[in-house]
Coordinates of all heavy atoms in Angstrom, one line a residue:
M1 N -4.2 22.7 -6.6 CA -4.5 21.3 -6.8 C -3.2 20.6 -7.2 O -2.4 21.1 -7.9 CB -5.5 21.2 -7.9 CG -5.9 19.8 -8.2 SD -7.2 19.7 -9.5 CE -6.7 18.2 -10.3
L2 N -3.0 19.4 -6.6 CA -1.9 18.6 -6.9 C -2.3 17.4 -7.7 O -3.3 16.7 -7.3 CB -1.2 18.1 -5.6 CG -0.1 17.1 -5.7 CD1 1.1 17.7 -6.5 CD2 0.4 16.7 -4.3
R3 N -1.6 17.1 -8.7 CA -2.0 15.9 -9.5 C -0.7 15.1 -9.7 O 0.3 15.6 -10.2 CB -2.5 16.3 -10.9 CG -3.0 15.2 -11.7 CD -3.6 15.6 -13.0 NE -4.7 16.5 -12.8 CZ -5.8 16.6 -13.6 NH1 -5.7 16.0 -14.7 NH2 -6.8 17.4 -13.3
I4 N -0.8 13.8 -9.4 CA 0.4 12.9 -9.5 C -0.1 11.7 -10.3 O -1.1 11.1 -9.9 CB 0.9 12.5 -8.2 CG1 1.4 13.7 -7.4 CG2 2.0 11.4 -8.4 CD1 1.9 13.3 -6.0
G5 N 0.6 11.4 -11.4 CA 0.2 10.3 -12.2 C 0.8 9.0 -11.7 O 1.6 9.0 -10.7
A6 N 0.3 7.9 -12.2 CA 0.8 6.6 -11.8 C 2.3 6.5 -12.1 O 2.7 6.9 -13.2 CB 0.0 5.5 -12.4
V7 N 3.1 5.9 -11.2 CA 4.5 5.8 -11.4 C 4.9 4.3 -11.3 O 4.5 3.6 -10.3 CB 5.3 6.5 -10.4 CG1 6.8 6.3 -10.5 CG2 5.0 8.0 -10.4
R8 N 5.5 3.8 -12.4 CA 6.0 2.4 -12.3 C 7.5 2.6 -12.4 O 8.0 3.1 -13.4 CB 5.5 1.5 -13.4 CG 4.0 1.2 -13.3 CD 3.6 0.3 -14.3 NE 4.1 -1.1 -14.2 CZ 3.6 -2.0 -13.4 NH1 2.6 -1.7 -12.6 NH2 4.2 -3.2 -13.2
W9 N 8.2 2.1 -11.4 CA 9.7 2.3 -11.4 C 10.3 1.0 -10.9 O 9.8 0.4 -10.0 CB 10.0 3.5 -10.5 CG 11.4 3.9 -10.4 CD1 12.0 4.7 -11.3 CD2 12.4 3.5 -9.5 NE1 13.4 4.8 -10.9 CE2 13.6 4.1 -9.8 CE3 12.3 2.6 -8.4 CZ2 14.7 3.9 -9.1 CZ3 13.5 2.4 -7.6 CH2 14.7 3.1 -8.0
R10 N 11.5 0.7 -11.4 CA 12.3 -0.4 -11.0 C 13.7 0.1 -10.7 O 14.3 0.8 -11.5 CB 12.3 -1.5 -12.0 CG 11.1 -2.3 -12.1 CD 11.2 -3.3 -13.2 NE 9.9 -3.9 -13.4 CZ 9.7 -5.1 -13.8 NH1 10.8 -5.9 -14.1 NH2 8.5 -5.6 -14.0
G11 N 14.3 -0.4 -9.7 CA 15.7 -0.1 -9.4 C 16.4 -1.4 -8.8 O 15.8 -2.1 -8.0
K12 N 17.6 -1.6 -9.2 CA 18.4 -2.8 -8.7 C 19.8 -2.4 -8.6 O 20.4 -1.7 -9.4 CB 18.2 -3.9 -9.7 CG 18.9 -5.2 -9.3 CD 18.5 -6.4 -10.0 CE 18.7 -6.4 -11.5 NZ 18.4 -7.6 -12.2
C13 N 20.4 -2.8 -7.5 CA 21.8 -2.5 -7.2 C 22.6 -3.5 -8.1 O 22.4 -4.7 -8.0 CB 22.2 -2.7 -5.8 SG 23.9 -2.5 -5.4
S14 N 23.6 -3.0 -8.8 CA 24.4 -3.9 -9.7 C 25.3 -4.8 -8.9 O 25.6 -5.9 -9.3 CB 25.2 -3.1 -10.7 OG 26.1 -2.2 -10.0
K15 N 25.7 -4.4 -7.7 CA 26.5 -5.2 -6.8 C 25.8 -6.2 -6.0 O 26.3 -7.3 -5.7 CB 27.3 -4.3 -5.9 CG 28.4 -3.4 -6.5 CD 29.0 -2.6 -5.5 CE 29.9 -1.5 -6.1 NZ 30.4 -0.5 -5.1
H16 N 24.5 -5.9 -5.7 CA 23.7 -6.7 -4.9 C 22.3 -6.9 -5.5 O 21.3 -6.4 -5.0 CB 23.5 -6.2 -3.4 CG 24.8 -5.7 -2.8 ND1 25.2 -4.4 -2.8 CD2 25.8 -6.5 -2.3 CE1 26.4 -4.4 -2.2 NE2 26.8 -5.6 -1.9
P17 N 22.2 -7.6 -6.7 CA 21.0 -7.6 -7.4 C 19.9 -8.4 -6.7 O 18.7 -8.2 -7.0 CB 21.4 -8.4 -8.7 CG 22.6 -9.1 -8.4 CD 23.3 -8.3 -7.3
S18 N 20.2 -9.2 -5.7 CA 19.1 -9.9 -5.0 C 18.6 -9.1 -3.8 O 17.6 -9.5 -3.2 CB 19.6 -11.2 -4.5 OG 20.7 -11.1 -3.6
Y19 N 19.2 -7.9 -3.5 CA 18.7 -7.2 -2.4 C 17.3 -6.6 -2.7 O 17.1 -5.9 -3.7 CB 19.7 -6.0 -2.1 CG 19.1 -5.1 -1.0 CD1 18.9 -5.6 0.3 CD2 18.7 -3.8 -1.3 CE1 18.4 -4.8 1.3 CE2 18.2 -3.0 -0.3 CZ 18.0 -3.5 1.0 OH 17.4 -2.7 2.0
D20 N 16.4 -6.8 -1.8 CA 15.0 -6.3 -1.9 C 14.7 -5.6 -0.6 O 14.5 -6.3 0.4 CB 14.0 -7.5 -2.2 CG 12.6 -7.0 -2.4 OD1 12.3 -5.8 -2.1 OD2 11.8 -7.8 -2.8
P21 N 14.6 -4.3 -0.6 CA 14.3 -3.6 0.7 C 13.0 -4.0 1.4 O 12.8 -3.8 2.5 CB 14.4 -2.2 0.4 CG 14.2 -2.1 -1.1 CD 14.7 -3.4 -1.7
T22 N 12.0 -4.6 0.6 CA 10.8 -5.0 1.2 C 11.0 -6.2 2.1 O 10.1 -6.5 2.9 CB 9.7 -5.3 0.1 OG1 10.2 -6.4 -0.7 CG2 9.4 -4.1 -0.7
D23 N 12.1 -6.9 1.9 CA 12.4 -8.1 2.8 C 13.0 -7.6 4.2 O 13.1 -8.5 5.1 CB 13.4 -9.0 2.1 CG 12.9 -9.7 0.9 OD1 11.6 -9.8 0.8 OD2 13.7 -10.1 0.1
G24 N 13.3 -6.4 4.3 CA 13.9 -5.9 5.5 C 15.1 -5.0 5.2 O 15.4 -4.8 4.1
V25 N 15.8 -4.6 6.3 CA 16.9 -3.6 6.1 C 18.1 -4.3 5.4 O 18.6 -3.9 4.4 CB 17.3 -3.0 7.4 CG1 18.5 -2.1 7.2 CG2 16.1 -2.2 7.9
G26 N 18.5 -5.4 5.9 CA 19.7 -6.1 5.4 C 21.0 -5.4 5.7 O 21.0 -4.2 6.0
L27 N 22.0 -6.2 5.6 CA 23.4 -5.7 5.9 C 23.9 -4.7 4.8 O 24.7 -3.8 5.0 CB 24.4 -6.8 6.0 CG 24.2 -7.6 7.3 CD1 25.2 -8.8 7.3 CD2 24.5 -6.7 8.5
T28 N 23.4 -5.0 3.5 CA 24.0 -4.2 2.4 C 23.6 -2.7 2.6 O 24.4 -1.8 2.0 CB 23.5 -4.7 1.1 OG1 22.1 -4.7 1.1 CG2 24.0 -6.1 0.8
V29 N 22.5 -2.4 3.2 CA 22.1 -1.0 3.4 C 23.2 -0.2 4.1 O 23.5 1.0 3.8 CB 20.8 -0.9 4.1 CG1 20.5 0.5 4.5 CG2 19.7 -1.5 3.2
A30 N 23.8 -0.8 5.1 CA 24.9 -0.1 5.9 C 26.1 0.1 5.1 O 26.9 1.0 5.4 CB 25.2 -0.9 7.1
T31 N 26.4 -0.8 4.1 CA 27.7 -0.7 3.4 C 27.6 -0.2 2.0 O 28.6 0.1 1.4 CB 28.3 -2.1 3.4 OG1 27.5 -3.0 2.8 CG2 28.7 -2.6 4.8
C32 N 26.4 -0.3 1.4 CA 26.3 0.0 0.0 C 25.4 1.2 -0.2 O 24.2 1.2 0.2 CB 25.8 -1.2 -0.8 SG 25.5 -0.9 -2.5
E33 N 25.9 2.2 -0.9 CA 25.1 3.5 -1.1 C 23.9 3.2 -1.9 O 22.8 3.8 -1.7 CB 26.0 4.5 -1.7 CG 25.3 5.9 -1.9 CD 26.2 6.9 -2.6 OE1 27.3 6.6 -2.9 OE2 25.7 8.0 -2.9
R34 N 24.0 2.4 -3.0 CA 22.8 2.2 -3.9 C 21.8 1.4 -3.2 O 20.6 1.6 -3.4 CB 23.3 1.5 -5.2 CG 24.2 2.4 -5.9 CD 24.4 2.2 -7.4 NE 23.3 1.7 -8.2 CZ 22.5 2.5 -8.9 NH1 22.7 3.8 -9.0 NH2 21.6 2.0 -9.7
C35 N 22.1 0.4 -2.4 CA 21.1 -0.4 -1.6 C 20.4 0.5 -0.6 O 19.2 0.4 -0.4 CB 21.8 -1.6 -0.9 SG 22.2 -2.9 -2.0
A36 N 21.2 1.4 0.0 CA 20.6 2.4 0.9 C 19.7 3.3 0.2 O 18.6 3.7 0.8 CB 21.7 3.2 1.6
M37 N 20.0 3.7 -1.0 CA 19.1 4.5 -1.8 C 17.8 3.8 -2.1 O 16.7 4.3 -2.0 CB 19.7 5.0 -3.1 CG 20.8 6.0 -2.9 SD 21.8 6.4 -4.3 CE 20.6 7.1 -5.4
L38 N 17.9 2.5 -2.4 CA 16.7 1.7 -2.7 C 15.8 1.7 -1.4 O 14.6 1.8 -1.5 CB 17.0 0.3 -3.1 CG 17.6 0.0 -4.5 CD1 18.0 -1.4 -4.7 CD2 16.6 0.5 -5.5
K39 N 16.4 1.5 -0.3 CA 15.6 1.4 1.0 C 15.0 2.8 1.2 O 13.8 2.9 1.7 CB 16.6 1.1 2.1 CG 16.0 1.1 3.5 CD 15.0 0.0 3.8 CE 14.5 0.0 5.2 NZ 13.3 0.7 5.5
E40 N 15.7 3.9 1.0 CA 15.2 5.2 1.2 C 14.0 5.5 0.2 O 13.0 6.1 0.6 CB 16.3 6.3 1.0 CG 15.8 7.6 1.4 CD 17.0 8.7 1.4 OE1 18.1 8.3 1.2 OE2 16.7 9.8 1.5
I41 N 14.1 5.0 -1.0 CA 13.0 5.2 -2.0 C 11.8 4.5 -1.5 O 10.7 5.0 -1.6 CB 13.5 4.7 -3.4 CG1 14.5 5.7 -4.0 CG2 12.3 4.6 -4.3 CD1 15.3 5.1 -5.2
L42 N 12.0 3.3 -1.0 CA 10.8 2.5 -0.5 C 10.2 3.2 0.7 O 9.0 3.3 0.8 CB 11.3 1.1 -0.1 CG 10.2 0.2 0.5 CD1 9.1 -0.1 -0.5 CD2 10.8 -1.0 1.1
D43 N 11.0 3.7 1.6 CA 10.5 4.4 2.8 C 9.7 5.6 2.4 O 8.6 5.9 2.9 CB 11.6 4.8 3.8 CG 12.3 3.5 4.4 OD1 11.6 2.4 4.4 OD2 13.4 3.7 5.0
L44 N 10.3 6.4 1.4 CA 9.6 7.6 1.0 C 8.3 7.3 0.3 O 7.3 8.0 0.4 CB 10.5 8.4 0.1 CG 11.7 9.1 0.9 CD1 12.7 9.7 -0.1 CD2 11.2 10.1 1.8
Q45 N 8.3 6.2 -0.5 CA 7.0 5.9 -1.2 C 6.0 5.5 -0.2 O 4.8 5.8 -0.3 CB 7.3 4.7 -2.2 CG 6.2 4.4 -3.1 CD 5.6 3.0 -3.0 OE1 6.1 2.2 -2.2 NE2 4.7 2.7 -3.9
R46 N 6.4 4.7 0.8 CA 5.4 4.3 1.9 C 4.9 5.5 2.6 O 3.7 5.6 2.9 CB 6.0 3.3 2.8 CG 6.2 2.0 2.2 CD 6.9 1.0 3.2 NE 6.9 -0.4 2.6 CZ 7.5 -1.4 3.1 NH1 8.3 -1.2 4.2 NH2 7.5 -2.6 2.6
R47 N 5.8 6.5 2.9 CA 5.4 7.7 3.6 C 4.4 8.5 2.7 O 3.4 9.1 3.2 CB 6.6 8.5 3.9 CG 6.4 9.9 4.5 CD 6.1 9.7 6.0 NE 5.9 11.1 6.6 CZ 4.9 11.5 7.2 NH1 3.9 10.6 7.5 NH2 4.8 12.7 7.7
M48 N 4.7 8.6 1.4 CA 3.8 9.3 0.5 C 2.4 8.7 0.5 O 1.4 9.4 0.6 CB 4.4 9.3 -0.9 CG 3.6 10.0 -1.9 SD 4.2 9.9 -3.6 CE 3.9 8.2 -4.0
L49 N 2.3 7.4 0.4 CA 1.0 6.7 0.4 C 0.3 7.0 1.7 O -0.9 7.2 1.7 CB 1.2 5.2 0.1 CG 1.7 4.8 -1.3 CD1 2.0 3.4 -1.4 CD2 0.7 5.3 -2.3
E50 N 1.0 6.9 2.8 CA 0.4 7.2 4.1 C -0.2 8.6 4.1 O -1.3 8.8 4.6 CB 1.5 7.0 5.2 CG 1.0 7.3 6.6 CD 2.2 7.3 7.5 OE1 3.1 6.4 7.5 OE2 2.3 8.2 8.4
L51 N 0.6 9.6 3.7 CA 0.1 11.0 3.6 C -1.1 11.1 2.7 O -2.1 11.8 3.1 CB 1.2 11.9 3.2 CG 2.3 12.2 4.2 CD1 3.4 13.0 3.6 CD2 1.7 13.0 5.4
M52 N -1.1 10.5 1.6 CA -2.2 10.5 0.6 C -3.5 10.0 1.3 O -4.6 10.5 1.1 CB -1.9 9.8 -0.7 CG -0.9 10.5 -1.5 SD -0.5 9.4 -2.9 CE 0.2 10.6 -4.0
R53 N -3.3 8.8 2.0 CA -4.5 8.2 2.6 C -5.0 9.1 3.7 O -6.2 9.2 4.0 CB -4.1 6.8 3.1 CG -3.9 5.8 2.0 CD -3.8 4.4 2.5 NE -3.4 3.6 1.4 CZ -2.3 2.9 1.3 NH1 -1.4 3.0 2.2 NH2 -2.1 2.2 0.2
R54 N -4.1 9.7 4.5 CA -4.5 10.6 5.6 C -5.2 11.8 5.0 O -6.2 12.3 5.6 CB -3.3 11.0 6.4 CG -3.7 11.6 7.7 CD -2.6 11.6 8.8 NE -1.3 11.8 8.3 CZ -0.4 12.6 8.9 NH1 -0.7 13.3 9.9 NH2 0.8 12.7 8.4
F55 N -4.7 12.4 3.9 CA -5.3 13.6 3.3 C -6.6 13.3 2.7 O -7.6 14.1 2.9 CB -4.3 14.1 2.2 CG -4.8 15.4 1.7 CD1 -4.4 16.6 2.3 CD2 -5.6 15.5 0.5 CE1 -4.8 17.8 1.8 CE2 -6.0 16.7 0.1 CZ -5.6 17.9 0.7
N56 N -6.7 12.2 2.1 CA -8.0 11.8 1.4 C -8.3 10.3 1.7 O -8.0 9.4 0.9 CB -7.9 12.0 -0.1 CG -9.2 12.0 -0.8 OD1 -10.2 12.0 -0.1 ND2 -9.1 12.0 -2.1
P57 N -8.9 10.1 2.9 CA -9.1 8.7 3.4 C -10.0 7.9 2.4 O -10.9 8.5 1.9 CB -9.8 8.8 4.7 CG -9.6 10.2 5.1 CD -9.4 11.0 3.9
P58 N -9.7 6.6 2.2 CA -10.6 5.9 1.3 C -12.0 5.7 1.9 O -12.1 5.6 3.1 CB -9.9 4.5 1.2 CG -8.9 4.5 2.4 CD -8.6 5.9 2.7
R59 N -13.0 5.9 1.1 CA -14.3 5.7 1.6 C -14.7 4.3 1.7 O -14.2 3.4 0.9 CB -15.3 6.4 0.6 CG -15.1 7.9 0.5 CD -16.1 8.4 -0.4 NE -15.8 9.8 -0.7 CZ -16.1 10.4 -1.8 NH1 -16.8 9.8 -2.7 NH2 -15.8 11.7 -2.1
E60 N -15.6 4.0 2.7 CA -16.0 2.6 2.7 C -17.1 2.4 1.7 O -17.9 3.3 1.4 CB -16.7 2.4 4.1 CG -15.7 2.2 5.2 CD -16.4 1.7 6.5 OE1 -17.4 1.1 6.4 OE2 -15.8 2.1 7.6
K61 N -17.0 1.3 1.0 CA -17.9 1.0 0.0 C -19.3 0.7 0.6 O -19.4 0.0 1.6 CB -17.4 -0.3 -0.8 CG -16.2 0.0 -1.7 CD -15.8 -1.2 -2.4 CE -14.6 -1.0 -3.2 NZ -14.1 -2.2 -3.9
K62 N -20.3 1.2 -0.1 CA -21.6 0.9 0.4 C -22.0 -0.5 0.0 O -21.7 -1.0 -1.1 CB -22.6 1.9 -0.3 CG -22.5 3.3 0.2 CD -23.6 4.1 -0.4 CE -23.5 5.5 0.2 NZ -24.6 6.4 -0.4
R63 N -22.5 -1.2 1.0 CA -22.8 -2.6 0.8 C -24.3 -2.8 0.7 O -25.0 -2.1 1.4 CB -22.3 -3.5 1.9 CG -20.8 -3.5 1.9 CD -20.2 -4.4 3.0 NE -21.3 -5.0 3.8 CZ -21.1 -5.9 4.8 NH1 -19.9 -6.1 5.1 NH2 -22.1 -6.4 5.4
G64 N -24.7 -3.6 -0.2 CA -26.1 -4.0 -0.2 C -26.5 -4.9 0.9 O -25.6 -5.2 1.7
P65 N -27.7 -5.3 1.0 CA -28.0 -6.2 2.1 C -27.3 -7.5 1.9 O -27.0 -8.0 0.8 CB -29.5 -6.5 1.9 CG -29.9 -6.0 0.5 CD -28.8 -5.0 0.1
T66 N -26.8 -8.1 3.0 CA -26.1 -9.3 3.0 C -27.0 -10.5 3.0 O -28.2 -10.3 3.2 CB -25.1 -9.4 4.2 OG1 -26.0 -9.4 5.4 CG2 -24.2 -8.2 4.3
D67 N -26.5 -11.7 2.8 CA -27.3 -12.9 2.8 C -28.0 -13.0 4.2 O -29.2 -13.4 4.2 CB -26.5 -14.1 2.5 CG -26.1 -14.2 1.1 OD1 -26.7 -13.5 0.3 OD2 -25.1 -14.9 0.8
A68 N -27.4 -12.6 5.2 CA -28.0 -12.7 6.6 C -29.2 -11.8 6.7 O -30.1 -12.1 7.4 CB -26.9 -12.4 7.6
D69 N -29.1 -10.6 6.0 CA -30.2 -9.7 6.1 C -31.4 -10.2 5.3 O -32.5 -9.9 5.6 CB -29.8 -8.3 5.5 CG -28.7 -7.6 6.3 OD1 -28.6 -7.9 7.5 OD2 -27.9 -6.9 5.7
R70 N -31.2 -10.9 4.3 CA -32.2 -11.4 3.4 C -32.9 -12.7 3.9 O -33.9 -13.1 3.5 CB -31.7 -11.7 2.0 CG -31.5 -10.4 1.2 CD -31.2 -10.7 -0.2 NE -30.1 -9.9 -0.6 CZ -29.0 -10.3 -1.1 NH1 -28.7 -11.5 -1.2 NH2 -28.0 -9.4 -1.4
Q71 N -32.2 -13.4 4.9 CA -32.7 -14.6 5.4 C -34.0 -14.4 6.2 O -34.1 -13.5 7.0 CB -31.6 -15.3 6.2 CG -32.0 -16.7 6.6 CD -30.8 -17.4 7.3 OE1 -29.8 -16.7 7.7 NE2 -30.8 -18.7 7.4
I72 N -34.9 -15.2 5.9 CA -36.2 -15.2 6.6 C -36.1 -16.0 7.9 O -35.8 -17.1 7.9 CB -37.4 -15.7 5.7 CG1 -37.5 -14.9 4.4 CG2 -38.7 -15.7 6.5 CD1 -38.4 -15.5 3.4
G73 N -36.5 -15.3 9.0 CA -36.5 -16.0 10.2 C -37.7 -16.9 10.4 O -38.7 -16.7 9.9
L74 N -37.5 -18.0 11.1 CA -38.5 -19.0 11.3 C -39.7 -18.4 12.1 O -40.8 -18.8 12.0 CB -38.0 -20.2 12.0 CG -37.1 -21.1 11.1 CD1 -36.5 -22.2 12.0 CD2 -37.9 -21.7 10.0
F75 N -39.4 -17.4 13.0 CA -40.4 -17.0 13.9 C -40.8 -15.5 13.6 O -41.5 -14.9 14.4 CB -39.9 -17.0 15.3 CG -39.4 -18.4 15.7 CD1 -38.1 -18.7 15.8 CD2 -40.3 -19.4 15.9 CE1 -37.6 -20.0 16.1 CE2 -39.9 -20.7 16.3 CZ -38.6 -21.0 16.4
D76 N -40.4 -15.0 12.4 CA -40.9 -13.7 12.0 C -42.3 -13.7 11.6 O -42.8 -14.7 11.0 CB -40.0 -13.2 10.8 CG -38.6 -12.9 11.3 OD1 -38.3 -12.8 12.5 OD2 -37.7 -12.7 10.4
D77 N -43.0 -12.6 11.8 CA -44.4 -12.5 11.3 C -44.4 -12.1 9.9 O -43.5 -11.4 9.4 CB -45.2 -11.4 12.1 CG -45.3 -11.8 13.5 OD1 -45.5 -13.0 13.8 OD2 -45.4 -10.8 14.4
F78 N -45.3 -12.6 9.1 CA -45.3 -12.3 7.7 C -46.4 -11.3 7.4 O -47.4 -11.2 7.9 CB -45.6 -13.6 6.8 CG -44.3 -14.5 6.9 CD1 -44.3 -15.6 7.7 CD2 -43.3 -14.2 6.1 CE1 -43.2 -16.4 7.8 CE2 -42.2 -15.1 6.1 CZ -42.1 -16.1 6.9
Ligands
ZN1 ZN1 24.2 -2.7 -3.1

């Protein structure tokens, strides 16, 4: 059994503090090792979430009857 707790983590490049890998690759990734590491961390986190979802897909929530199901038709027999 594998157990992974919740992880909250922040990282910022001191040379390029405005760089956010979620905005795209950006030029700094090619020239700055720390920015490249941020991008790699993001890619690995996304890959991990993808694998977790594939291993244990989220279940669809059971829904109760919708308003459309409860609506009485004008021509229904009572
Ligand atoms: Zn950087």
Side-chain angles (χ1 to χ4, degrees):
M1 180 175 146
L2 173 64
R3 184 179 297 208
I4 298 175
V7 176
R8 291 186 67 84
W9 184 85
R10 289 179 187 209
K12 182 166 55 173
C13 176
S14 58
K15 293 178 189 169
H16 312 101
S18 64
Y19 174 66
D20 182 351
T22 60
D23 293 339
V25 175
L27 288 175
T28 56
V29 170
T31 57
C32 177
E33 182 182 357
R34 295 201 37 101
C35 286
M37 288 169 67
L38 287 176
K39 173 73 171 93
E40 188 174 353
I41 289 166
L42 176 66
D43 291 344
L44 290 171
Q45 190 238 7
R46 286 178 173 169
R47 176 81 177 124
M48 179 183 72
L49 292 174
E50 178 189 315
L51 284 170
M52 287 173 163
R53 288 188 188 116
R54 192 159 38 132
F55 187 85
N56 195 8
R59 295 183 192 153
E60 285 190 27
K61 291 181 180 176
K62 290 186 178 178
R63 293 181 3 180
T66 62
D67 289 341
D69 296 334
R70 283 189 225 121
Q71 189 171 13
I72 299 170
L74 289 174
F75 304 105
D76 291 346
D77 294 328
F78 290 100

